[in-house]
C-alpha cells in the first residue's frame, strides 16, 4: 500500500484549502489534495468580491447586522461578529500577500454594493475576476514553499479513522490509477475544504466536481452535518443551456442592472430593495415567471462602461452573441451555494476528533438560512487563518507509531461517481429539493435516491443528496433559501433551530 505522511492533510485546493496550506506550512509539512486543478474550483469562478466594513460610514457591527438580517434568524451571532470583525484584517492580509484590490484614482479602495448590503463594502480585484485574482496570488505563494506537496488529480474517497473514531488522514485515488488507493496520513489534522454541492442540481453555477463529497465524507465518519436544506439558488445565471451556468454577478444589479420581463417591465418593483432584494426572494420571483414560460432578462443597457466594470462577464456574453451594452441577457436561477454543511467552529473544529472543515463545506452558522453576498470568500480566508492560529497554539502531535497501528484497518471507500450517476442525482434534486419544495416532492425524491443508493451504495453524491432531502423534509417551514409550498411561512418558534443530522442520531442513510 502506498502511504504518504505529513503533519496536515488538506482535502480541497480552493481558497480555503490553499490559504490553510500556506499558513500551516509555517509550522508543519502539508499535503494539499484536490480532485481537479484550482481553475476548476468555486473560488476561481468567484466574480463579485469580498465583503469587509472598511468604508467611512461602515462598521463591522453594520456588516454583522446585514449578515444576520439576510440569514433569517438562523445565524449564530457570535460567529457573525467574529467574521465581520476579522474582515478588515483579512483584506489587509490578502493585500500584504500581493492581492491588488481595485482602487479609485484617489487611491482609495473602490467599494461596491450588492444585494441586501446597506453599505458599499465589496472589494473587487480585476473588476469581476476577484476569485481568480486572489487564487493566482495564493497559488504563486504556494509554489515557493517546498514543504507543501500539492496533488491536483487525487479524489479523496474515505477518511482514515482510528479505532476510537478520530480521523488521522484520508484515502485518495488518482484518476489515472483506479483501484490503487493511497493513504495520506496526517500527524496533526485532516482538513476538509471541499467546497459546495451545486453540481447535485441540473442548473448550477458551480464547476463539475462541486458535488458535496466533503459532506458525505464527514457524515460517514460520524461528524454532525447541519442545515443542509439551505441551498442558495443564484437568481441570475445566464440562461444558455450549459452544464455549468455562467453567473451574472449581483454586482451587475448593484451597478444598475434591472430585471425585466419580456415586455421590458421591471419585475422587482414591489420589493423595497427592488433588484437588490435577498437572493432567495429574487430567485423565487424569476422562478414564478419561468414556470409560466415567461422569460426574464437582465437589462444592463444603462450601465455605463460595462465592459470595463465587468470584463469577464462582458467577454463571456459577447462570445455567446449577446452584448450587454445593447442586448437583454436571458437569466434564470441556478444552484449556487450551500449555506449548511459540516458543523464546525470558526477554527474548523468538527464533531470528530482530528477532523476539521473550512470554507463552503463547513457550517459555522455565519450564513444562517441565506448567505449575504460576498461573505463566503471572506469566510474561507477567515476560517483558514483561524484554523492555522489555533493549530499553532496546539501542542497535540500524534506519534508515527500510533498511526501505523491504527489507521490501516480496511474501510469501505466511496466509488467515484460516473457522469450518468451525477445526471440522475441532478434530475432528482432539481425536481425534489429545488427552488420550491413540498412534502410530496421531497418524499418522491427520497424514494428515488433510496433506489439509487441500492444501485450505487458507495456514491458520495447520493449520500449527500439524501442528507439534503432528509434535512428539507425535517424543516417544516419556509425560511431563507428553503421554501416549502406546504409550509409557506417562517415559524418564529423555529428561530435559531438547527437541523442536525449525524450517523449516531437521525440518519438518512
Ligand atoms: C460562479 C461563482 C461566483 C461566486 N462569486 C462569489 C463572490 O463574488 N464572493 C463570494 O464571497 N463568494 C462567491 N462565490 C462563492 C465562493 O466562491 C465559494 O463559496 C468559495 O470559493 C468556496 O471555496 P472553498 O475553498 O470552500 O471551495 P472551492 O473553491 O470550491 O474548492 C473546493 C476544492 O475541493 C476539491 N475537492 C472536492 N471534493 C474533493 C475530493 N473528494 N477529493 C479531493 N478534492 C476534492 C475541488 O477539486 C476543489 O479544489 C461564488 C461561487 C461561484 C460558483
Amino acid at each position: 500500500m502506498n502511504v504518504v505522511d505529513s503533519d496536515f492533510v488538506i482535502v480541497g485546493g480552493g481558497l480555503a484549502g490553499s490559504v490553510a496550506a500556506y499558513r500551516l506550512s509555517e509550522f508543519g509539512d502539508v499535503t494539499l489534495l484536490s480532485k481537479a486543478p484550482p481553475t476548476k474550483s468555486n473560488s476561481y469562478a468567484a466574480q463579485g468580491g469580498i465583503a469587509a466594513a472598511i468604508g467611512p460610514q461602515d462598521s463591522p457591527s453594520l456588516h454583522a447586522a446585514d449578515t444576520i438580517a439576510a440569514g433569517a434568524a438562523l445565524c449564530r451571532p457570535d460567529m457573525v461578529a467574529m467574521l465581520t470583525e476579522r474582515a478588515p484584517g483579512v483584506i489587509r492580509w490578502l493585500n500584504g500577500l500581493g492581492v491588488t484590490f481595485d482602487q479609485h484614482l484617489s487611491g482609495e479602495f473602490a467599494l461596491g454594493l450588492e444585494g441586501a448590503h446597506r453599505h458599499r463594502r465589496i472589494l473587487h480585484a480585476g473588476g469581476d475576476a476577484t476569485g481568480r485574482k486572489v487564487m493566482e496570488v495564493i497559488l504563486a505563494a504556494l509554489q515557493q514553499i517546498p514543504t507543501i506537496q500539492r496533488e491536483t488529480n487525487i479524489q479523496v474517497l474515505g477518511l482514515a479513522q482510528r479505532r476510537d473514531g478520530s480521523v488521522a488522514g484520508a484515502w485518495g485515488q488518482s484518476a489515472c490509477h483506479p483501484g490503487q488507493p493511497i493513504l495520506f496520513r496526517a500527524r496533526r489534522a485532516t482538513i476538509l475544504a471541499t467546497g459546495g454541492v451545486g453540481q447535485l442540481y441540473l442548473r448550477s453555477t458551480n464547476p463539475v466536481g462541486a458535488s458535496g463529497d466533503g459532506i458525505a465524507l464527514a457524515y460517514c465518519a460520524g461528524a454532525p452535518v447541519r442545515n443542509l436544506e439551505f441551498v442558495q439558488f443564484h437568481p441570475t445565471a445566464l440562461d444558455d443551456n450549459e452544464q455549468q451556468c455562467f453567473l451574472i454577478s449581483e454586482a451587475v444589479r448593484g451597478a444598475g442592472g434591472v430585471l425585466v420581463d419580456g415586455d421590458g417591465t421591471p419585475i422587482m418593483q414591489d420589493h423595497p430593495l427592488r433588484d437588490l432584494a435577498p437572493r432567495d426572494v429574487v430567485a423565487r420571483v424569476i422562478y414564478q415567471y419561468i414556470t409560466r414560460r415567461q422569460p426574464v432578462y437582465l437589462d444592463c443597457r444603462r450601465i455605463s462602461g460595462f465592459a470595463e466594470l465587468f470584463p469577464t462577464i462582458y467577454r463571456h456574453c459577447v462570445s455567446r452573441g449577446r452584448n450587454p451594452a445593447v442586448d437583454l441577457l436571458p437569466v434564470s436561477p441556478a444552484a449556487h451555494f450551500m449555506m449548511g454543511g459540516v458543523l464546525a467552529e470558526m477554527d474548523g473544529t468538527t464533531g470528530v476528533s482530528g477532523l476539521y472543515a473550512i470554507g463552503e463545506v463547513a457550517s459555522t452558522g455565519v450564513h444562517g438560512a441565506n448567505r449575504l453576498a460576498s461573505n463566503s470568500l471572506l469566510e474561507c480566508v477567515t476560517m483558514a487563518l483561524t484554523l492555522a492560529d489555533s493549530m499553532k497554539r496546539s501542542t497535540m502531535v500524534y506519534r508515527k507509531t500510533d498511526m501505523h497501528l491504527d489507521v490501516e484497518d480496511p474501510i469501505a471507500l466511496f466509488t467515484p461517481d460516473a457522469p450518468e450517476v451525477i445526471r440522475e442525482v441532478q434530475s432528482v434534486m432539481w425536481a425534489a429539493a429545488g427552488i420550491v419544495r413540498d412534502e410530496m416532492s421531497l418524499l418522491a425524491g427520497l424514494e428515488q435516491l433510496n433506489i439509487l443508493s441500492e444501485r450505487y451504495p458507495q456514491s458520495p453524491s447520493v449520500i449527500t443528496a439524501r442528507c439534503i432531502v432528509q434535512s428539507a423534509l425535517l424543516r417544516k417551514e419556509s425560511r431563507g433559501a428553503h421554501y416549502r409550498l406546504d409550509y409557506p411561512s417562517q415559524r418564529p418558534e423555529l428561530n435559531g433551530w438547527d437541523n442536525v443530522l449525524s450517523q449516531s442520531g437521525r440518519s438518512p442513510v
Side-chain angles (χ1 to χ4, degrees):
M1 181 177 48
N2 203 344
V3 180
V4 177
D5 286 326
S6 49
D7 292 313
F8 302 103
V9 172
I10 302 176
V11 188
L15 186 60
S18 299
V19 171
Y22 179 79
R23 282 301 297 267
L24 291 170
S25 69
E26 290 168 18
F27 46 92
D29 52 349
V30 178
T31 303
L32 178 57
L33 306 171
S34 59
K35 66 179 177 183
T39 49
K40 299 266 182 276
S41 63
N42 276 350
S43 300
Y44 213 83
Q47 297 173 346
I50 305 185
I54 57 172
Q57 310 295 324
D58 206 1
S59 70
S61 58
L62 292 171
H63 184 182
D66 287 349
T67 303
I68 287 170
L74 213 64
C75 294
R76 266 187 62 181
D78 55 337
M79 290 288 162
V80 174
M82 216 184 281
L83 182 82
T84 52
E85 279 161 19
R86 291 180 190 185
V90 162
I91 299 302
R92 282 193 297 276
W93 186 81
L94 287 170
N95 214 206
L97 199 67
V99 176
T100 312
F101 290 106
D102 297 346
Q103 298 177 356
H104 293 299
L105 288 176
S106 60
E108 286 169 6
F109 287 127
L111 299 175
L113 190 64
E114 288 189 13
H117 284 274
R118 283 172 296 177
H119 288 270
R120 289 196 167 269
R121 60 170 75 100
I122 317 299
L123 290 111
H124 304 112
D128 56 2
T130 309
R132 175 166 66 80
K133 292 283 181 191
V134 172
M135 284 298 289
E136 280 169 359
V137 169
I138 300 216
L139 294 173
L142 293 187
Q143 269 171 2
Q144 308 302 316
I145 304 173
T147 50
I148 299 177
Q149 183 185 344
R150 277 178 67 208
E151 302 283 351
T152 57
N153 190 21
I154 297 280
Q155 179 170 6
V156 166
L157 299 171
L159 294 172
Q161 285 183 278
R162 299 185 184 84
R163 287 188 195 97
D164 64 1
S166 61
V167 169
W171 296 86
Q173 180 176 280
S174 155
C176 312
H177 302 287
Q180 296 176 32
I182 306 168
L183 174 57
F184 295 92
R185 279 190 305 208
R187 281 187 282 274
R188 298 195 58 184
T190 305
I191 299 148
L192 293 175
T194 48
V197 304
Q199 280 291 330
L200 296 179
Y201 287 87
L202 273 183
R203 279 181 59 73
S204 173
T205 61
N206 293 190
V208 174
S211 46
D213 289 7
I215 290 172
L217 287 165
Y219 178 77
C220 292
V225 293
R226 172 169 63 183
N227 294 342
L228 296 178
E229 63 275 28
F230 296 110
V231 176
Q232 183 173 79
F233 290 82
H234 199 290
T236 56
L238 195 64
D239 202 356
D240 62 358
N241 293 324
E242 293 199 10
Q243 189 191 14
Q244 182 188 343
C245 306
F246 184 80
L247 182 78
I248 312 284
S249 161
E250 202 152 310
V252 172
R253 279 173 283 138
V258 178
L259 287 161
V260 297
D261 65 14
D263 298 329
T265 308
I267 64 168
M268 290 306 302
Q269 292 302 91
D270 292 341
H271 195 280
L273 293 170
R274 300 198 171 180
D275 292 89
L276 292 179
R279 285 182 181 174
D280 60 303
V281 175
V282 183
R284 278 196 300 277
V285 172
I286 299 178
Y287 179 76
Q288 281 165 7
Y289 276 81
I290 285 168
T291 46
R292 294 196 301 260
R293 298 191 180 285
Q294 293 175 294
V296 171
Y297 300 93
L298 190 59
D299 185 351
C300 308
R301 293 174 299 181
R302 288 201 196 88
I303 303 176
S304 65
F306 189 100
E308 291 75 40
L309 281 173
F310 306 108
T312 313
I313 299 173
Y314 179 79
R315 276 196 302 274
H316 183 90
C317 292
V318 168
S319 76
R320 299 297 186 276
R322 308 226 175 221
N323 180 349
V326 180
D327 303 313
L328 297 177
L329 307 178
V331 290
S332 68
H336 185 59
F337 183 81
M338 170 49 92
M339 264 77 68
V342 182
L343 204 159
E345 297 299 321
M346 194 58 87
D347 67 358
T349 311
T350 69
V352 169
S353 172
L355 181 67
Y356 297 78
I358 57 172
E360 189 169 338
V361 70
S363 162
T364 56
V366 296
H367 304 302
N370 207 6
R371 172 183 70 120
L372 187 67
S374 288
N375 266 356
S376 41
L377 291 177
L378 172 64
E379 188 190 31
C380 286
V381 183
T382 307
M383 288 193 85
L385 297 181
T386 310
L387 166 86
D389 286 348
S390 114
M391 285 290 156
K392 199 169 187 175
R393 287 195 299 272
S394 141
T395 51
M396 190 172 66
V397 179
Y398 290 102
R399 296 194 313 273
K400 279 190 174 179
T401 47
D402 292 343
M403 295 197 308
H404 278 292
L405 282 175
D406 282 330
V407 299
E408 288 169 11
D409 296 343
I411 56 161
L413 295 181
F414 292 156
T415 312
D417 285 315
E420 59 271 19
V421 181
I422 294 277
R423 271 196 296 277
E424 287 193 61
V425 172
Q426 288 173 338
S427 304
V428 173
M429 292 300 281
W430 191 254
I435 299 162
V436 299
R437 315 89 195 257
D438 62 16
E439 184 149 304
M440 214 164 71
S441 74
L442 290 164
L443 284 175
L446 193 57
E447 205 178 306
Q448 288 167 289
L449 289 169
N450 286 342
I451 295 167
L452 283 178
S453 149
E454 278 167 24
R455 275 164 52 203
Y456 314 109
Q458 292 307 113
S459 155
S461 300
V462 174
I463 292 170
T464 301
R466 289 177 81 193
C467 287
I468 294 172
V469 170
Q470 183 77 2
S471 302
L473 270 167
L474 287 168
R475 187 174 288 280
K476 296 186 190 308
E477 63 163 346
S478 289
R479 181 184 293 268
H482 172 67
Y483 188 81
R484 280 192 57 160
L485 289 167
D486 48 350
Y487 296 97
S489 309
Q490 186 166 318
R491 287 169 56 194
E493 70 273 23
L494 295 181
N495 287 354
W497 177 70
D498 282 328
N499 196 358
V500 179
L501 300 177
S502 81
Q503 290 270 35
S504 47
R506 280 182 309 223
S507 162
V509 286

